[in-house]
Amino acid sequence: MAGVSTSGPAIETILLEERRYEPPPDFAAQANATPDIYDQDFEQFWETEGRERVTWFQDFEKLYEWELPYAKWYVGGQLNVTYNCVDRHVEAGNGDKVAYHWEGEPEDERRTITFADLQRDVVRFANALKKLGVGKGTPVGIYMGMVPELPVAMLACARLGAPHTVVFGGFSADSLSGRLNDMECELLITQNEGLRNGAAVPLKQNADEALDDSPGVKQAIVYRRTGGDVQMKDGRDLWWHDVVEGESDDPSSCPCEPMDAEDLLYLLYTSGTTAKPKGIVHTTAGYLVGVATTHHYIFDIKPDSVYWCAADIGWVTGHSYIVYGPLCNGTTGVIYEGVPNYPDKDRWWQIIERYKVDILYTAPTAIRTHMKWGPEYAEKHDLSSLRLLGTVGEPINPEAWVWYREHIGADRTPVVDTWWQTETGMILINPLPGVTTLKPGSATKPFPGIDAAVYDEQGNEVGPGGGGYLVLRRPWPAMLRGIYKDDERYRETYWSRFEGVYFAGDGARIDEDGDFWLLGRVDDVMNVSGHRISTIEVESALVDHQKVAEAAVCGRKDERTGQAIVAYVTLKGGDEGSIDMLEELRNHVATKIGPIAKPANIVFTPELPKTRSGKIMRRLLRDVAENRALGDTTTLADPAVVEEIKERASTESAQED
Ligand code: WTA
């Protein structure tokens, strides 16, 4: 048995955050989750949820089987995801309920899609796919923007039992063909053009390039989103509107395929430490129960909720919490096609006001962007419908958390910081909004039934106050069922670091109350004079300064201290920065964390290099810090940013000398 470590903690944590937010009594009184949820036996909990959240064609015989590192859940059960997400709501008389309010990026384009509409669209499209030879087990690629036809395509595949892989519309042709080939997709669903920031995104043109390298894809279906012209290849490409023409929308014309609990639902590719993306495997029953259950309790979903997850469906957050979880729960959702500052920086707040959104789920990077723009954009709109806010994707610095609560949530709404991964499928560490005392920057407690812990280098459990590596010690329903066609890499990446437990690759610490603080990826941990310091803690301290809009921190080699801390800082209001400011910030970090965490140098920059999903690319910042040639920059949202930073970094160090 793992004991409590007596050797030093694997990651030292120094930043203390002392603000606390109790659940508001009126929220607690009506909440889906009550404190006794934590007292339930783990098996009992998932057994009950399995029966309550999902409709089965055939009941399961056994809750789970665990042959490390592979789990099976709801063994022997049969069901269909689309039946659960669409048909059963219509059968229950909720056909008129809105499934999605869709906002196009152009301000005058809107669609309201009820569950009955969604069923008709899915059935017609599934009939069309069937005619093209798609059936149970046919792998299908999907490469689209944020249009309603994207969930329709996913649900049509799931209806037929055809596993899909959705490739984020911001990825390049190379990324797309790599994924299509790895999954051996036979058909691709795409669209002529996407719309982003007022400009057209050439999806079909990228797809054409990708298909040149993906000979296994015999057919492409193209949804016409814009008037833009694209080339259609004879014998391969078909228009969406042509293939659905004349197809029946009667659900009995295309029954939902009964699927085994463990049949493949989808692959989603995620990048790791090597160049080749990993095809993360998600199956049917455990995934659906996991996402529906967490969605219900963590977001406190009510029958009349209008829930908006502002992620892209191309990422796991969109799969689990725009499409499968919310639809399984029969929830009304919002889908927005474009960027938050089109045509102006108040677009999000306009959307919340228009649809009276009560739950907003987004990423810290988006919150910091809004913070940088200033609260006046939110102030122009009535956001009083909001009841609950959520974040996901990276550690949230306490200042952004508090800003979100104060300026978006009127200092009234709980904020749930949810930790999970593409691999975990569902949220695993999170507050429950009617139960948990919130601490800005902490994802708080493992979800009921989840056994999370923090280990040191040697695999000993670290006690309260100490930092180390986040591990999961028990299987959970939505967990990945492996890396597609790569058993060895699956075992190596997740199950070899410590024996018998899942290694998440994240640093974490547990405080005296048993609350978890995520410290970023383990490779985002710096070692300065033998002290391990998480980049996020230094970033939080920097962003805590009133002049700082955004900060990214990384380590560079240093002869004296092992590693030295380099900070890249964007100041509010376009301020350029100065030597005085640099000193002020170094001292600020010293007072917030301690002199050990003082950045050795600070580079002021108008933008940070980010991926199109909004993650800061620290790898590139490390390259700049170490004066190395830049690694792969193809996933950058704006490759010019990093050149600019390089230039500033060299003039900055010249100043230092
Ligand atoms: C990070 C996104 C801190 C973490 C759902 C994880 C977080 C990686 C949080 C997975 C959070 C996600 N606090 N860190 N609340 N949520 N992360 O696969 O490093 O895109 O390992 O899944 O994001 O990213 P992925």
Side-chain angles (χ1 to χ4, degrees):
M1 210 184 85
V4 172
S5 160
T6 46
S7 59
I11 300 175
E12 289 182 33
T13 66
I14 355 190
L15 184 68
L16 280 186
E17 165 58 51
E18 284 176 337
R19 283 166 286 197
R20 301 285 179 273
Y21 300 83
E22 298 296 331
D26 52 339
F27 195 107
Q30 56 84 65
N32 292 353
T34 48
D36 57 350
I37 193 170
Y38 289 111
D39 303 335
Q40 290 188 52
D41 168 67
F42 139 85
E43 296 193 1
Q44 191 56 51
F45 179 78
W46 287 119
E47 177 106 26
T48 310
E49 293 301 327
R51 292 191 207 287
E52 255 175 40
R53 293 290 143 222
V54 161
T55 304
W56 299 88
F57 292 161
Q58 189 179 301
D59 205 356
F60 56 92
E61 288 151 14
K62 197 171 163 196
L63 181 64
Y64 73 110
E65 275 173 20
W66 180 219
E67 274 176 44
L68 199 128
Y70 290 98
K72 289 183 179 161
W73 279 83
Y74 303 106
V75 183
Q78 286 196 358
L79 73 169
N80 181 282
V81 165
T82 301
Y83 180 78
N84 276 279
C85 289
V86 184
D87 295 57
R88 65 170 178 157
H89 304 311
V90 180
E91 287 171 15
N94 293 321
D96 291 340
K97 184 172 177 178
V98 175
Y100 289 122
H101 293 289
W102 180 77
E103 275 269 316
E105 192 182 73
E107 276 187 298
D108 53 351
E109 289 193 47
R110 257 167 239 140
R111 284 161 64 184
T112 304
I113 297 141
T114 64
F115 278 94
D117 295 333
L118 188 60
Q119 186 184 44
R120 283 189 286 268
D121 289 348
V122 168
V123 168
R124 284 177 82 195
F125 192 61
N127 270 322
L129 288 176
K130 207 155 63 170
K131 213 166 259 176
L132 293 170
V134 174
K136 187 171 176 173
T138 312
V140 174
I142 303 178
Y143 181 64
M144 302 179 81
M146 288 285 279
V147 290
E149 282 68 21
L150 170 52
V152 167
M154 295 161 77
L155 292 161
C157 288
R159 186 177 198 91
L160 299 172
H164 59 69
T165 190
V166 178
V167 179
F168 171 56
F171 275 131
S172 63
D174 276 357
S175 310
L176 175 58
S177 63
R179 287 157 171 79
L180 294 174
N181 292 334
D182 191 69
M183 194 181 181
E184 297 171 65
C185 292
E186 295 173 22
L187 181 135
L188 175 68
I189 304 164
T190 185
Q191 68 188 61
N192 64 339
E193 292 178 326
L195 286 178
R196 216 185 131 72
N197 209 4
V201 182
L203 290 169
K204 174 63 165 65
Q205 198 183 311
N206 295 343
D208 284 339
E209 241 180 85
L211 292 186
D212 285 343
D213 294 329
S214 311
V217 179
K218 301 293 179 220
Q219 214 106 53
I221 300 179
V222 186
Y223 172 68
R224 185 145 72 195
R225 166 68 186 101
T226 67
D229 256 354
V230 290
Q231 286 188 359
M232 296 291 279
K233 187 168 167 180
D234 259 0
R236 187 191 70 189
D237 301 346
L238 301 162
W239 287 109
W240 178 299
H241 56 261
D242 287 337
V243 296
V244 297
E245 178 76 40
E247 291 299 339
S248 169
D249 61 12
D250 178 346
S252 66
S253 70
C254 185
C256 293
E257 185 73 28
M259 302 296 284
D260 183 83
E262 284 300 326
D263 276 335
L264 179 60
L265 177 63
Y266 69 77
L267 298 183
L268 188 57
Y269 287 83
T270 183
S271 39
T273 43
T274 71
K276 189 177 184 292
K278 303 174 281 199
I280 302 299
V281 176
H282 284 295
T283 59
T284 302
Y287 176 78
L288 192 64
V289 175
V291 296
T293 303
T294 46
H295 181 253
H296 174 78
Y297 290 115
I298 300 168
F299 298 111
D300 197 52
I301 298 299
K302 303 296 186 215
D304 60 351
S305 281
V306 181
Y307 157 90
W308 183 19
C309 168
D312 194 288
I313 293 175
W315 308 110
V316 76
T317 305
H319 282 60
S320 296
Y321 297 108
I322 297 178
V323 181
Y324 293 120
L327 291 179
C328 186
N329 289 334
T331 306
T332 296
V334 173
I335 296 180
Y336 170 52
E337 182 179 39
V339 299
N341 54 343
Y342 188 89
D344 201 356
K345 301 183 179 78
D346 66 340
R347 185 65 187 274
W348 274 25
W349 319 124
Q350 204 186 74
I351 292 174
I352 289 177
E353 183 173 24
R354 172 170 304 123
Y355 299 111
K356 301 198 168 38
V357 170
D358 63 336
I359 303 152
L360 174 66
Y361 188 32
T362 184
T365 185
I367 298 164
R368 290 193 300 264
T369 299
H370 287 294
M371 222 170 131
K372 185 164 82 179
W373 290 336
E376 57 270 28
Y377 296 97
E379 278 158 17
K380 282 198 261 180
H381 295 277
D382 176 8
L383 306 183
S384 60
S385 56
L386 286 170
R387 239 173 14 98
L388 181 63
L389 303 174
T391 87
V392 59
E394 48 176 324
I396 182 162
N397 44 296
E399 290 322 300
W401 192 104
V402 170
W403 188 92
Y404 192 29
R405 179 183 157 106
E406 287 181 351
H407 292 284
I408 308 306
D411 205 10
R412 170 177 56 78
T413 61
V415 175
V416 290
D417 173 4
T418 63
W419 179 88
W420 59 297
Q421 309 176 298
T422 304
E423 292 88 338
T424 71
M426 62 188 244
I427 297 168
L428 294 188
I429 304 180
N430 59 278
L432 291 171
V435 179
T436 313
T437 299
L438 304 172
K439 301 173 182 175
S442 170
T444 73
K445 302 267 195 294
F447 189 77
I450 303 304
D451 182 14
V454 174
Y455 280 10
D456 69 11
E457 295 280 358
Q458 287 76 41
N460 300 309
E461 188 171 357
V462 173
Y469 304 101
L470 180 66
V471 300
L472 301 160
R473 298 189 289 200
R474 203 197 268 148
W476 61 97
M479 72 187 283
L480 74 168
R481 303 299 199 261
I483 296 176
Y484 193 58
K485 293 192 297 196
D486 204 341
D487 172 64
E488 202 181 310
R489 193 173 178 197
Y490 175 57
R491 292 173 188 272
E492 165 68 28
T493 310
Y494 306 107
W495 302 94
S496 66
R497 188 71 165 73
F498 302 114
E499 199 179 327
V501 302
Y502 174 89
F503 175 69
D506 279 353
R509 79 177 157 96
I510 305 185
D511 69 16
E512 286 65 23
D513 304 320
D515 285 326
F516 285 69
W517 297 74
L518 279 306
L519 304 171
R521 299 295 302 174
V522 211
D523 47 11
D524 289 342
V525 172
M526 302 167 294
N527 191 326
V528 183
S529 306
H531 298 272
R532 291 188 174 201
I533 298 166
S534 156
T535 51
I536 179 72
E537 290 195 300
V538 181
E539 288 168 10
S540 289
L542 286 165
V543 177
D544 178 76
H545 189 282
Q546 53 166 1
K547 297 257 170 64
V548 174
E550 221 176 4
V553 163
C554 67
R556 73 163 150 74
K557 285 195 203 77
D558 184 275
E559 273 181 13
R560 198 167 56 84
T561 56
Q563 274 193 308
I565 301 174
V566 183
Y568 300 85
V569 169
T570 306
L571 295 174
K572 283 183 187 156
D575 194 329
E576 284 278 324
S578 62
I579 299 280
D580 285 353
M581 186 48 131
L582 192 147
E583 256 332 287
E584 195 175 319
L585 290 181
R586 293 183 75 228
N587 291 332
H588 189 72
V589 174
T591 25
K592 287 302 282 189
I593 305 182
I596 181 72
K598 255 186 168 182
N601 62 330
I602 296 179
V603 180
F604 293 106
T605 168
E607 285 293 341
L608 294 171
K610 290 181 188 161
T611 62
R612 277 163 287 205
S613 73
K615 285 202 165 78
I616 294 169
M617 287 190 73
R618 292 196 173 69
R619 178 169 61 71
L620 291 180
L621 293 175
R622 281 194 290 268
D623 289 346
V624 174
E626 308 245 8
N627 229 336
R628 282 191 300 252
L630 296 180
D632 181 15
T633 56
T634 52
T635 54
L636 272 180
D638 179 4
V641 168
V642 69
E643 288 304 325
E644 162 109 337
I645 292 177
K646 260 177 93 169
E647 211 170 291
R648 282 168 187 257
S650 57
T651 48
E652 215 82 63
S653 37
Q655 278 171 13
E656 247 189 359
D657 293 341

